[in-house]
Amino acid sequence: MFPATFEYHRAQSVKEALSLLKRLGDGAKLLSGGHSLIPMMKLRLAQPSHLIDIGGVRELSQISEEGNKILIGATVTHSEIASSPLIKQKLGLLADCAAEIGDVQVRNRGTIGGSLAHADPAADYPAAVLALEAELELESEQGTRTVKAQDFFVDLMTTALRPDEILRRVVFAPIPQGAGYAYLKHPQPASGFAIVGVAALVTLGKDGSCEKVRVGITGIAPKPFRATAVESALTGKKPDSTALAAAAAHAADGVDCLSDIHASSEFRAELARVYTRRALERAIAACKP
Amino acid sequence: MAALPKFIGERVRRREDPRLITGTGTYVDDIKLPGMLHAAVMRSPYAHAKINSVDLSRARNHPGVIMALSGEDIGDKIGSLPCVAPAQHVPVHPVLARGKVRFVGEPVAIVVAENPYVARDAIDLINVEFDPLPAVVDVEKALESGAPLVHEEFGTNLVTRAEVTSPGFEKAMAEAQRTLKFRLINQRLTPTMMEPRAVLANWERGYKQLTLWSSTQIPHLLRSQLADMLKLPENKIRVIAPEVGGGFGAKLNVYPEEALCAYLSMELNRPVKWIETRRENMAATTHGRDHVTYVEVGFKNDGTITAIKAKFFCDMGAYLHLLTPAIPGFTGLMATGCYKIAGLSFEQNLVFTNKMATDAYRGAGRPEATYLIERTVDMVAAELGMDPAEVRRKNFIPKDAFPYTTPVGLQFDSGNYEAALDKALEMVGYQKLRQEQAEAAKKGRYIGIGLSTYVEICGIGPSALLPPKLKGGGWESATIRIEPDCKVTVLTGTSPHGQGEETTFAQIAADAFGVDVDDVTVIHGDTAVVQYGIGTFGSRTTALGGTAVLMAAQKLQDKMKKIASHMMEVPPEQLIFTNRTIALASDPSKSIPLQKVVEAAYGYKQPIPGVEPGLDANAFYEPSGCTFPFGAHVCVVEVDPETGVVKVLRYVAVDDCGKIINPLLVDGQIQGGIAQGLGQALYEETVYDENGQLVTASLMDYAVPKATMVPRFELANTVTPTHINPLGVKGVGEAGTIGSTPAVVNAVIDALKPFGIRHLDMPLKPEKIWRAIQQAKQTMKG
């Protein structure tokens, strides 16, 4: 499989990458881990005339903690996220999700920024990023703007990123003490991508009722989404099996589900309900009072 | 010096592995020749279309492009691709389409360029005007009147109809107290070998000699067929199969690109390489299976099966490849499995459709047979409310009935089917497992236990059984040379491509001459070096090729004993080979070093009466019959009723492949085979849509099982030797695939028994199971 001709540029800094992006225009694509873009180029589904490699930009490859925020650079790999002590301790849901992506080689090369910017509707990360209410820093030569995760994903493989912007960092608030979480996935057997992926995050109040519920769902629709109907149905309720089942029943409400040879839209919707209930059950079981 | 051990029967590690693991083996794509050009193939995007015109002008003018050719340019300069198996309608099969395309992926034009990037770019510059035609995709609808015709000249899509009815079939069916009728689909599969196809052709003008490297299972047969297609003498073609990364039967074939690269190299006087991409591999390398079968089984109330009647619709695809129409025959003939069933009648309809051709794929007709009979036995058990193990015992061919002649005349060499089943059931703890299953059911858990007791046909066989048009029979060849330094070279006519015969054949030769396994080198896959051979397929390599090695060794032993007899002054029949010596059988301390005998043969300073100088011997082994390996597999699954997900909890396999040369390699073959059979049961399916578009066109959509999707295997063997060959071996390359598919499906259906589900077609994907459960719940409510 041979890609069409392209010119390769290696940026040393975000500034240089932004300047190249502006200069080279529509035909330019950013290259990070290359695990989505390169296969598409080899299949000639993507034929960018320029690749701007940001893999060597150091400022994009850091995980840091600033104040009450955890900042993850765009080129941090899935395996770094899965194994980082800081992320395991404070953003365990994201670490668990990262560990479910692809295989070892994919996790060693693929990056969080690349995955989010590519916006494959079956990618794992968006579920966790939505449930964690992350914010994404987008930078252009005009400056930096911050977009909430739920506003970032626009449609099938389409995000709020403008052509002259780079997704620089993903910003998270740490998971509160005592909160429970889980990422559950029904993988497509050939690709390993999610037919359904559900990230659930629950905080219980002193009385044992659900204080805060966040559910991010990937795989079933053209774009990942927060299952707000599930969240509100459970918030304030005691999480018994009836309440969980009733809340999870809303997982695919109003969603126009995808359909392919691996799962029909009807089955995807059903899997979303089942996996949402199970993810919530696990999250609640992991809550510490 | 310590005594050398015997190697046959030992877990000798594969001698081919270090180079494969360290990336120091040589595959076709590793070979780079000076001046080498690269080819790319433009393929049909349509399942069925008229070709109005092919415009290559832009491609030809593209910088770096050396040549571009269409089917009309080739004309009759390259002959039709061969199908050697008999069929009523055998279409012309051009290397590049002419007039019409008949499947997605059919080659339309070929471009040769200075590098593979330019060749690929040029493909996009070819302008073909297609006139799309309605496609025929469904194997049964293809036979309805008014269906689009794949080949108009035949006036039908029927390739051949074959009918076989055993003597006394009607009587056997009449003796049945009950009958069951059902329809089974054995879905189309994509072989998915690790290394796609690969070709490098080099025409040496001065020598008028063509060397063709190809990732093939059959270097000699390929040479013979290419000689026909290219009108070259066989001794002017050298085919080399270097390292070959798997084939599973799909490289037991002759493909357009092999002839095209050869032709282009001859035209251009430069080497031409073509490496298949994975997408091409999925579309344009032969597929496997693809049968729809209507089964009727007659049986008695005690579980005795009296007769089986089957009507097959076998999808051949658009063209007939080398053995395409021969494969379903094995399914029909083996349909009674390991059971003493008095009557068998089958009708096979072989059908053209607008899809890639099917041909041999690991098991080649026998997995389909085993699936048919093993599902049938479970259907009978379910109908009678009997334990499926008991129905099997009731019907097994008893161990004292061998050699056993089946109702359609196959001669089973040896077997002890109940012993294999007993062992498997003991290993899995069958009675306890059934109790656990019942306990789990009370807790709303759906555990299923599936059995499969299979017999298959290997080592085919007497040459008369092979297609008359095949240049070559069922025999196999070997040459053994003992070199002047006492090292042993084995040349085998087989073409191992992952099976490990560089190790097993070395074990056979080492024991024959009393040398170390590391003293032996096994050479294969080069027609200029190795005597004519048939190749590696159908689990034949050790049973046939191994026997040829043994026979050649025996000839050489006889010669060496004569020399030693002369030197030691004892009769040759009293001598044996042991520990790098030739010794007196009655007193091995009286011996002569092998090296001395070798020196005498090569040095020949003292002529030995009646013995020529040198040390090599050659043997061609023609078997007197086929071998019939068998076994019992038990699969335990749990089905998640909410999602339809199947989890394999345990997998026990007891296989009997006769005597075992290397238990480690037998385990490996069984493990890989089970993984592949499990893939068919749960995941794999080649999907064409209603327009004949290939939907599973990449590994993003075609699901082969990965390591994490395969359970831990609990393996064992029983050993029932065959009398057919002196090694007593039967063959094991396909057994795992043949035995496993029905075991997994039977387990899943067993798990779904509480829902009243009797059958689901493969692959047993979660949605299919979930829907069946939903439907069953509705029915139960109703």
Side-chain angles (χ1 to χ4, degrees):
Chain A
M1 307 240 196
F2 299 99
T5 306
F6 61 89
E7 241 180 275
Y8 175 85
H9 310 265
R10 188 162 175 88
Q12 301 300 329
S13 65
V14 173
K15 195 172 168 225
E16 189 188 353
L18 287 171
S19 139
L20 281 165
L21 255 189
K22 194 176 172 193
R23 179 163 67 79
L24 300 170
D26 284 352
K29 270 279 190 190
L30 292 170
L31 174 70
S32 178
H35 270 52
S36 302
L37 182 57
I38 300 282
M40 287 178 75
M41 288 171 65
K42 284 187 165 187
L43 295 171
R44 301 204 174 199
L45 295 170
Q47 299 198 13
S49 40
H50 298 274
L51 283 188
I52 303 165
D53 187 352
I54 55 170
V57 178
R58 290 202 55 162
E59 58 196 296
L60 293 177
S61 66
Q62 313 297 317
I63 298 171
S64 59
E65 194 172 15
E66 286 175 20
N68 194 30
K69 299 281 181 197
I70 295 162
L71 307 131
I72 302 179
T75 66
V76 175
T77 64
H78 313 326
S79 60
E80 285 167 340
I81 289 175
S83 61
S84 153
L86 175 69
I87 293 178
K88 278 161 81 170
Q89 189 197 342
K90 298 195 171 173
L91 285 174
L93 177 58
L94 191 71
D96 289 355
C97 180
E100 289 287 318
I101 300 171
D103 52 35
V104 174
Q105 288 95 325
V106 169
R107 292 195 289 274
N108 282 343
R109 291 287 303 170
T111 65
I112 187 168
S115 172
L116 294 174
H118 184 62
D120 188 306
D124 293 285
Y125 271 142
V129 165
L130 285 161
L132 292 165
E133 299 175 272
E135 294 184 333
L136 292 86
E137 284 184 10
L138 315 182
E139 187 169 338
S140 70
E141 290 197 324
Q142 277 68 51
T144 303
R145 63 184 178 118
T146 300
V147 175
K148 286 181 178 158
Q150 63 196 90
D151 300 326
F152 180 74
F153 302 104
V154 175
D155 203 344
L156 190 83
M157 302 182 124
T158 310
T159 68
L161 267 170
R162 291 196 297 255
D164 63 341
E165 282 180 327
I166 287 179
L167 167 56
R168 192 190 163 92
R169 292 195 297 202
V170 191
V171 182
F172 295 88
I175 293 172
Q177 288 285 328
Y181 53 81
Y183 178 65
L184 279 190
K185 169 185 183 177
H186 181 87
Q188 197 256 62
S191 68
F193 274 84
I195 285 177
V196 175
V198 180
L201 178 67
V202 179
T203 312
L204 294 182
K206 286 200 174 68
D207 62 350
S209 64
C210 296
E211 200 168 78
K212 185 176 175 182
V213 182
R214 291 291 177 266
V215 177
I217 299 181
T218 189
I220 71 165
K223 64 167 187 167
F225 61 95
R226 276 254 311 268
T228 49
V230 177
E231 295 173 3
S232 52
L234 198 57
T235 306
K237 300 256 168 55
K238 294 264 200 248
D240 55 35
S241 59
T242 315
L244 283 175
H250 296 295
D253 282 5
V255 178
D256 193 6
C257 288
L258 298 168
S259 182
D260 58 27
I261 58 164
H262 304 288
S264 68
S265 52
E266 188 188 355
F267 187 52
R268 272 188 163 81
E270 177 63 12
L271 286 176
R273 291 186 280 267
V274 173
Y275 276 77
T276 297
R277 195 196 73 228
R278 292 180 181 179
L280 286 168
E281 282 167 359
R282 284 221 202 162
I284 287 156
C287 283
K288 293 185 190 79
Chain B
M1 194 167 62
L4 280 170
K6 289 286 177 193
F7 294 97
I8 290 179
E10 294 303 311
R11 299 178 78 88
V12 178
R13 285 199 182 188
R14 282 163 46 104
R15 281 141 27 96
E16 39 278 85
D17 279 349
R19 67 171 191 266
L20 298 177
I21 292 166
T22 57
T24 47
T26 302
Y27 294 84
V28 174
D29 202 17
D30 295 319
I31 302 166
K32 290 172 178 67
L33 299 180
M36 187 169 79
L37 299 170
H38 299 264
V41 178
M42 189 262 165
R43 295 177 187 279
S44 172
Y46 294 104
H48 198 190
K50 197 164 162 284
I51 302 173
N52 289 333
S53 62
V54 180
D55 179 1
L56 296 167
S57 53
R58 285 177 67 215
R60 283 175 176 148
N61 290 331
H62 190 62
V65 170
I66 306 293
M67 186 177 257
L69 298 174
S70 69
E72 296 308 320
D73 295 329
I74 295 286
D76 295 327
K77 290 171 206 156
I78 301 176
S80 174
L81 285 157
C83 169
V84 297
Q88 191 185 346
H89 297 306
V90 180
V92 172
H93 187 176
V95 292
L96 292 175
R98 295 178 72 179
K100 215 168 100 158
V101 286
R102 296 181 170 87
F103 68 95
V104 167
E106 180 169 0
V108 174
I110 189 162
V111 174
V112 186
E114 292 289 350
N115 69 56
Y117 292 86
V118 170
R120 174 63 187 83
D121 287 345
I123 294 300
D124 293 342
L125 303 175
I126 297 171
N127 186 18
V128 183
E129 198 188 301
F130 289 107
D131 219 347
L133 298 166
V136 53
V137 180
D138 182 283
V139 69
E140 292 180 83
K141 286 183 185 156
L143 295 182
E144 290 172 3
S145 67
L149 293 176
V150 180
H151 300 276
E152 290 85 355
E153 63 270 32
F154 303 136
T156 173
N157 287 322
L158 185 70
V159 176
T160 282
R161 177 174 291 131
E163 289 176 60
V164 174
T165 297
S166 69
F169 166 76
E170 295 298 339
K171 180 169 168 278
M173 194 53 107
E175 279 170 9
Q177 290 163 319
R178 299 192 193 199
T179 59
L180 268 178
K181 289 184 184 181
F182 47 93
R183 178 177 185 262
L184 299 175
I185 296 177
N186 208 298
Q187 80 273 28
R188 180 176 280 245
L189 300 176
T190 305
T192 325
M193 66 294 293
M194 194 93 82
E195 183 206 20
R197 293 185 290 120
V199 183
L200 169 59
N202 187 27
W203 171 253
E204 290 170 286
R205 182 169 39 164
Y207 298 91
K208 292 190 168 40
Q209 175 79 37
L210 175 74
T211 303
L212 187 100
W213 289 264
S214 181
S215 184
T216 183
Q217 300 173 222
I218 46 164
H220 281 98
L221 295 178
L222 174 59
R223 186 188 75 181
S224 295
Q225 295 298 337
L226 281 176
D228 268 3
M229 293 174 76
L230 299 166
K231 300 169 194 75
L232 283 175
E234 286 212 40
N235 61 3
K236 290 295 176 191
I237 304 177
R238 176 184 187 182
V239 173
I240 302 175
E243 216 70 85
V244 172
F248 304 127
K251 291 177 183 169
L252 156 57
N253 230 311
V254 180
Y255 285 97
E257 297 83 359
E258 290 168 323
L260 281 164
C261 286
Y263 174 80
L264 288 162
S265 180
M266 291 165 74
E267 285 290 299
L268 298 166
N269 289 305
R270 289 176 71 176
V272 176
K273 180 189 269 186
W274 171 79
I275 304 295
E276 188 180 50
T277 66
R278 181 58 69 183
R279 282 173 82 86
E280 288 179 296
N281 182 261
M282 312 219 55
T285 290
T286 54
H287 294 156
R289 321 269 193 264
D290 210 352
H291 295 182
V292 174
T293 312
Y294 292 85
V295 185
E296 183 180 355
V297 54
F299 54 102
K300 295 183 180 172
N301 291 329
D302 67 353
T304 305
I305 299 172
T306 63
I308 287 185
K309 188 175 180 181
K311 184 174 185 177
F312 295 89
F313 294 88
C314 307
D315 194 332
M316 302 286 98
Y319 293 96
L320 303 180
H321 258 281
L322 192 66
L323 294 167
T324 300
I327 305 303
F330 293 114
T331 309
L333 294 173
M334 290 298 288
T336 48
C338 52
Y339 308 108
K340 193 174 176 176
I341 296 172
L344 172 63
S345 175
F346 64 88
E347 172 191 311
Q348 291 191 319
N349 298 282
L350 278 49
V351 182
F352 288 119
T353 60
N354 290 114
K355 297 183 225 171
M356 181 59 203
T358 51
D359 205 319
Y361 169 58
R362 202 169 190 174
R366 294 102 83 205
E368 297 91 321
T370 305
Y371 184 70
L372 188 166
I373 184 64
E374 290 306 293
R375 285 295 301 127
T376 299
V377 170
D378 265 36
M379 294 266 198
V380 169
E383 184 70 15
L384 294 172
M386 284 177 71
D387 186 315
E390 285 319 303
V391 178
R392 284 174 171 80
R393 285 185 204 284
K394 191 103 206 156
N395 290 284
F396 277 146
I397 299 162
K399 68 177 179 199
D400 54 13
F402 294 90
Y404 171 81
T405 305
T406 73
V408 290
L410 292 174
Q411 291 272 344
F412 285 8
D413 53 346
S414 64
N416 188 349
Y417 305 140
E418 194 154 16
L421 179 63
D422 286 345
K423 189 160 184 169
L425 294 183
E426 187 195 321
M427 282 168 70
V428 84
Y430 189 62
Q431 291 310 327
K432 189 156 169 278
L433 205 55
R434 284 288 179 201
Q435 288 162 16
E436 286 168 12
Q437 179 186 30
E439 288 300 313
K442 289 179 197 158
K443 294 172 192 152
R445 287 179 62 200
Y446 297 88
I447 307 276
I449 305 161
L451 309 182
S452 163
T453 45
Y454 73 90
V455 61
E456 57 135 339
I457 177 169
C458 285
I460 302 167
S463 294
L465 293 182
L466 276 93
K469 282 167 74 185
L470 186 77
K471 297 182 186 181
W475 48 266
E476 197 45 88
S477 69
T479 298
I480 300 188
R481 294 199 297 258
I482 300 201
E483 310 291 355
D485 66 352
C486 212
K487 302 293 183 194
V488 181
T489 303
V490 176
L491 308 177
T492 172
T494 67
S495 197
H497 48 283
Q499 295 83 356
E501 279 86 5
E502 285 178 37
T503 305
T504 46
F505 287 5
Q507 290 175 257
I508 295 169
D511 280 6
F513 298 108
V515 299
D516 193 87
V517 73
D518 289 331
D519 291 336
V520 186
T521 288
V522 179
I523 293 174
H524 55 82
D526 184 341
T527 64
V529 175
V530 178
Q531 71 292 335
Y532 205 96
I534 306 302
T536 287
F537 50 87
S539 304
R540 71 191 300 278
T541 307
T542 304
L544 303 172
T547 301
V549 170
L550 184 67
M551 286 168 58
Q554 284 165 348
K555 285 187 186 178
L556 206 47
Q557 281 177 334
D558 287 347
K559 179 171 183 176
M560 295 172 82
K561 280 181 189 173
K562 277 187 196 163
I563 300 170
S565 155
H566 185 74
M567 296 166 83
M568 294 169 76
E569 297 180 340
V570 291
E573 56 277 9
Q574 292 181 15
L575 295 171
I576 57 166
F577 289 72
T578 181
N579 209 24
R580 292 198 178 100
T581 68
I582 296 181
L584 201 56
S586 56
D587 181 6
S589 70
K590 297 206 172 73
S591 68
I592 180 170
L594 207 56
Q595 181 68 45
K596 294 282 176 209
V597 177
V598 172
E599 280 167 13
Y602 278 97
Y604 212 63
K605 304 296 187 287
Q606 293 174 320
I608 304 152
V611 178
E612 293 171 9
L615 281 179
D616 69 13
N618 178 243
F620 288 77
Y621 168 58
E622 165 74 10
S624 60
C626 303
T627 56
F628 294 85
F630 60 91
H633 288 206
V634 186
C635 179
V636 186
V637 302
E638 177 161 7
V639 175
D640 180 336
E642 284 190 310
T643 63
V645 170
V646 174
K647 188 178 179 200
V648 180
L649 303 176
R650 287 184 69 191
Y651 199 100
V652 169
V654 175
D655 294 276
D656 192 320
C657 55
K659 282 202 179 164
I660 294 174
I661 309 276
N662 186 329
L664 186 65
L665 270 69
V666 166
D667 284 355
Q669 287 294 323
I670 293 294
Q671 288 168 355
I674 296 172
Q676 247 164 326
L678 183 132
Q680 172 166 22
L682 298 181
Y683 307 115
E684 296 187 39
E685 181 178 31
T686 307
V687 180
Y688 285 90
D689 72 10
E690 65 278 11
N691 300 315
Q693 273 303 328
L694 181 61
V695 180
T696 47
S698 84
L699 290 175
M700 289 293 279
D701 280 309
Y702 187 85
V704 288
K706 301 173 186 63
T708 53
M709 293 150 80
V710 173
R712 197 175 69 85
F713 302 119
E714 300 166 59
L715 305 181
N717 300 101
T718 57
V719 177
T720 309
T722 179
H723 60 276
I724 295 290
N725 62 64
L727 288 168
V729 302
K730 290 190 168 187
V732 74
E734 297 157 293
T737 312
I738 292 165
S740 59
T741 306
V744 178
V745 174
N746 284 343
V748 174
I749 302 300
D750 187 50
L752 297 174
K753 211 168 159 187
F755 295 105
I757 294 165
R758 285 280 179 92
H759 179 70
L760 292 173
D761 282 314
M762 302 180 288
L764 296 172
K765 298 202 283 191
E767 178 160 3
K768 199 180 278 177
I769 292 171
W770 174 75
R771 285 192 181 279
I773 292 173
Q774 298 309 307
Q775 207 185 349
K777 282 180 174 170
Q778 288 299 323
T779 312
M780 283 169 175
K781 272 185 204 160

